[in-house]
Amino acid sequence: TNRTGKPSEITFVDSSSLSVQQDSKSETLPFNRIYFGAPGTGKSYGVSKLIKSVYPNFDKENDEQSAYVFRTTLHPEYSYSDFVGQIMPVEKEDGFDYSFTPGVFTRALKKAMLENLAVENGIQEEPKKVFLVLEELSRANVAAVFGDLFQLLDRDNKGKSEYSISNAIIS
Protein backbone atom coordinates (compact mmCIF):
# COMPACT_ATOMS: atom_id res chain seq x y z
CA THR A 1 0.00 0.00 0.00
CA ASN A 2 1.05 3.59 -0.45
CA ARG A 3 1.18 6.38 2.15
CA THR A 4 -2.59 6.94 1.94
CA GLY A 5 -3.31 3.31 2.85
CA LYS A 6 -4.73 2.58 -0.60
CA PRO A 7 -3.44 -0.38 -2.58
CA SER A 8 -0.34 0.44 -4.56
CA GLU A 9 -0.56 0.70 -8.33
CA ILE A 10 2.54 -1.51 -8.59
CA THR A 11 1.73 -5.20 -8.30
CA PHE A 12 4.46 -7.79 -7.86
CA VAL A 13 3.58 -11.17 -9.34
CA ASP A 14 5.69 -14.21 -8.42
CA SER A 15 6.10 -16.29 -11.57
CA SER A 16 5.93 -19.52 -9.55
CA SER A 17 2.23 -18.84 -9.01
CA LEU A 18 1.62 -17.04 -12.27
CA SER A 19 -1.84 -17.00 -13.73
CA VAL A 20 -3.52 -14.16 -15.53
CA GLN A 21 -7.13 -14.37 -14.40
CA GLN A 22 -7.91 -10.70 -14.39
CA ASP A 23 -9.79 -9.19 -17.31
CA SER A 24 -7.74 -6.06 -17.93
CA LYS A 25 -10.57 -4.59 -20.03
CA SER A 26 -12.47 -3.93 -16.81
CA GLU A 27 -9.65 -1.91 -15.22
CA THR A 28 -10.19 1.80 -15.41
CA LEU A 29 -6.86 3.07 -14.13
CA PRO A 30 -3.41 2.41 -15.52
CA PHE A 31 -1.33 -0.04 -13.59
CA ASN A 32 2.23 -1.20 -13.23
CA ARG A 33 2.90 -4.88 -12.85
CA ILE A 34 6.28 -6.47 -12.16
CA TYR A 35 6.67 -10.18 -12.81
CA PHE A 36 9.59 -11.79 -11.02
CA GLY A 37 11.06 -15.25 -10.82
CA ALA A 38 13.69 -17.57 -12.12
CA PRO A 39 14.42 -17.78 -15.87
CA GLY A 40 11.95 -19.89 -17.81
CA THR A 41 9.10 -19.62 -15.33
CA GLY A 42 6.63 -17.90 -17.63
CA LYS A 43 7.07 -14.20 -16.96
CA SER A 44 7.09 -13.14 -20.63
CA TYR A 45 4.34 -15.65 -21.34
CA GLY A 46 2.21 -14.14 -18.56
CA VAL A 47 2.71 -10.64 -19.94
CA SER A 48 1.79 -11.79 -23.44
CA LYS A 49 -1.30 -13.52 -22.08
CA LEU A 50 -2.35 -10.30 -20.33
CA ILE A 51 -1.86 -8.29 -23.53
CA LYS A 52 -3.80 -10.90 -25.55
CA SER A 53 -6.75 -10.50 -23.16
CA VAL A 54 -7.03 -6.96 -24.59
CA TYR A 55 -5.48 -7.38 -28.06
CA PRO A 56 -5.91 -11.02 -29.18
CA ASN A 57 -3.90 -10.53 -32.38
CA PHE A 58 -1.17 -8.18 -31.16
CA ASP A 59 1.66 -10.57 -32.03
CA LYS A 60 0.55 -11.19 -35.59
CA GLU A 61 2.67 -9.55 -38.28
CA ASN A 62 1.22 -6.28 -39.59
CA ASP A 63 -1.65 -6.32 -37.12
CA GLU A 64 -2.88 -2.86 -36.08
CA GLN A 65 -3.15 -4.04 -32.45
CA SER A 66 0.65 -4.26 -32.33
CA ALA A 67 0.75 -0.46 -32.53
CA TYR A 68 -0.44 -0.39 -28.91
CA VAL A 69 2.26 -2.69 -27.54
CA PHE A 70 5.76 -1.34 -26.93
CA ARG A 71 8.23 -3.98 -25.82
CA THR A 72 11.97 -3.70 -25.18
CA THR A 73 14.65 -5.77 -23.49
CA LEU A 74 16.91 -3.98 -21.06
CA HIS A 75 20.59 -4.86 -20.67
CA PRO A 76 23.58 -3.47 -18.73
CA GLU A 77 24.34 -0.84 -21.39
CA TYR A 78 20.70 0.31 -21.77
CA SER A 79 20.37 3.97 -20.78
CA TYR A 80 17.98 6.88 -20.35
CA SER A 81 18.79 7.90 -23.93
CA ASP A 82 17.66 4.51 -25.20
CA PHE A 83 14.52 4.54 -23.05
CA VAL A 84 13.41 8.16 -23.47
CA GLY A 85 15.18 9.16 -26.67
CA GLN A 86 18.12 11.18 -27.84
CA ILE A 87 19.21 13.75 -30.34
CA MET A 88 20.80 11.93 -33.26
CA PRO A 89 22.25 12.93 -36.63
CA VAL A 90 19.78 12.34 -39.45
CA GLU A 91 20.89 12.27 -43.07
CA LYS A 92 19.12 14.78 -45.28
CA GLU A 93 19.40 15.56 -49.00
CA ASP A 94 21.78 18.42 -48.36
CA GLY A 95 23.81 16.89 -45.50
CA PHE A 96 22.98 16.10 -41.91
CA ASP A 97 20.62 17.51 -39.34
CA TYR A 98 20.21 16.72 -35.67
CA SER A 99 16.77 15.75 -34.46
CA PHE A 100 15.19 13.96 -31.53
CA THR A 101 14.79 10.21 -32.00
CA PRO A 102 12.19 8.98 -29.49
CA GLY A 103 12.86 5.93 -27.35
CA VAL A 104 10.33 3.25 -26.45
CA PHE A 105 8.97 5.22 -23.48
CA THR A 106 8.37 8.36 -25.54
CA ARG A 107 6.73 6.40 -28.36
CA ALA A 108 4.40 4.67 -25.86
CA LEU A 109 3.66 7.97 -24.12
CA LYS A 110 2.81 9.65 -27.42
CA LYS A 111 0.46 6.80 -28.36
CA ALA A 112 -1.30 7.01 -24.97
CA MET A 113 -1.64 10.78 -25.24
CA LEU A 114 -3.09 10.49 -28.76
CA GLU A 115 -5.63 7.98 -27.43
CA ASN A 116 -6.68 10.39 -24.69
CA LEU A 117 -6.95 13.25 -27.20
CA ALA A 118 -9.18 11.09 -29.40
CA VAL A 119 -11.55 10.64 -26.46
CA GLU A 120 -11.44 14.32 -25.49
CA ASN A 121 -12.25 15.32 -29.09
CA GLY A 122 -15.13 12.85 -29.35
CA ILE A 123 -13.44 10.69 -31.98
CA GLN A 124 -13.79 7.57 -29.83
CA GLU A 125 -15.53 6.73 -26.56
CA GLU A 126 -12.65 5.13 -24.65
CA PRO A 127 -8.90 5.26 -25.09
CA LYS A 128 -7.29 2.03 -26.19
CA LYS A 129 -4.89 0.52 -23.68
CA VAL A 130 -1.21 1.07 -24.37
CA PHE A 131 1.27 -1.48 -23.04
CA LEU A 132 4.91 -0.68 -22.28
CA VAL A 133 6.71 -3.94 -21.52
CA LEU A 134 10.24 -3.87 -20.16
CA GLU A 135 11.91 -7.27 -20.25
CA GLU A 136 14.93 -8.13 -18.08
CA LEU A 137 14.55 -5.06 -15.87
CA SER A 138 17.01 -6.41 -13.30
CA ARG A 139 19.83 -6.57 -15.83
CA ALA A 140 19.95 -2.80 -16.36
CA ASN A 141 20.94 0.04 -14.07
CA VAL A 142 17.33 1.09 -13.47
CA ALA A 143 18.27 4.48 -12.01
CA ALA A 144 20.23 5.25 -15.19
CA VAL A 145 17.38 4.01 -17.41
CA PHE A 146 14.45 5.73 -15.66
CA GLY A 147 16.12 8.82 -14.21
CA ASP A 148 13.48 11.35 -13.15
CA LEU A 149 10.72 9.22 -14.67
CA PHE A 150 10.74 7.06 -11.52
CA GLN A 151 8.62 9.75 -9.86
CA LEU A 152 5.81 9.14 -12.34
CA LEU A 153 5.23 5.62 -11.01
CA ASP A 154 3.82 6.95 -7.74
CA ARG A 155 0.20 7.83 -8.56
CA ASP A 156 -2.80 8.99 -6.61
CA ASN A 157 -6.19 7.26 -6.60
CA LYS A 158 -7.14 9.01 -9.87
CA GLY A 159 -4.14 7.59 -11.73
CA LYS A 160 -2.25 10.90 -11.76
CA SER A 161 1.35 11.18 -10.67
CA GLU A 162 1.74 12.71 -7.24
CA TYR A 163 5.02 14.27 -8.40
CA SER A 164 5.71 16.25 -11.50
CA ILE A 165 8.75 16.27 -13.71
CA SER A 166 9.83 18.62 -16.44
CA ASN A 167 11.40 17.05 -19.51
CA ALA A 168 11.74 19.49 -22.39
CA ILE A 169 13.00 16.81 -24.76
CA ILE A 170 9.86 14.68 -24.40
CA SER A 171 7.65 17.78 -24.52
Side-chain angles (χ1 to χ4, degrees):
T1 60
N2 62 23
R3 282 173 273 135
T4 62
K6 295 183 177 137
S8 174
E9 296 280 338
I10 299 177
T11 304
F12 292 89
V13 180
D14 184 346
S15 63
S16 64
S17 62
L18 187 63
S19 65
V20 180
Q21 306 268 333
Q22 192 171 12
D23 178 11
S24 60
K25 291 179 186 176
S26 65
E27 293 189 39
T28 57
L29 292 177
F31 62 86
N32 301 300
R33 187 167 291 156
I34 297 176
Y35 291 93
F36 67 93
T41 57
K43 298 178 296 291
S44 294
Y45 174 79
V47 171
S48 293
K49 190 172 178 184
L50 175 67
I51 295 169
K52 284 183 179 183
S53 72
V54 177
Y55 299 123
N57 296 317
F58 90 94
D59 59 352
K60 306 290 188 245
E61 196 172 320
N62 298 321
D63 186 79
E64 71 178 47
Q65 293 178 347
S66 296
Y68 297 93
V69 180
F70 299 84
R71 202 171 203 150
T72 191
T73 302
L74 281 65
H75 52 79
E77 303 303 317
Y78 202 87
S79 70
Y80 187 84
S81 296
D82 298 313
F83 187 58
V84 174
Q86 55 193 315
I87 296 176
M88 300 279 291
V90 178
E91 190 172 359
K92 302 262 181 170
E93 260 183 46
D94 56 346
F96 287 92
D97 191 21
Y98 292 89
S99 61
F100 179 71
T101 303
V104 67
F105 173 78
T106 305
R107 292 191 318 268
L109 177 63
K110 180 179 179 182
K111 188 66 152 180
M113 291 178 74
L114 289 173
E115 284 299 308
N116 286 330
L117 282 173
V119 171
E120 288 175 14
N121 292 324
I123 297 169
Q124 60 194 45
E125 288 186 33
E126 284 187 33
K128 293 184 178 160
K129 293 191 181 285
V130 176
F131 290 87
L132 174 59
V133 180
L134 308 176
E135 302 272 2
E136 304 293 343
L137 186 62
S138 64
R139 295 182 188 266
N141 178 345
V142 292
V145 171
F146 285 94
D148 57 349
L149 299 178
F150 256 126
Q151 294 185 134
L152 300 179
L153 295 174
D154 199 6
R155 299 187 197 138
D156 64 16
N157 60 359
K158 294 180 183 174
K160 301 289 182 187
S161 176
E162 293 183 32
Y163 305 102
S164 63
I165 65 167
S166 177
N167 191 314
I169 295 173
I170 296 176
S171 296

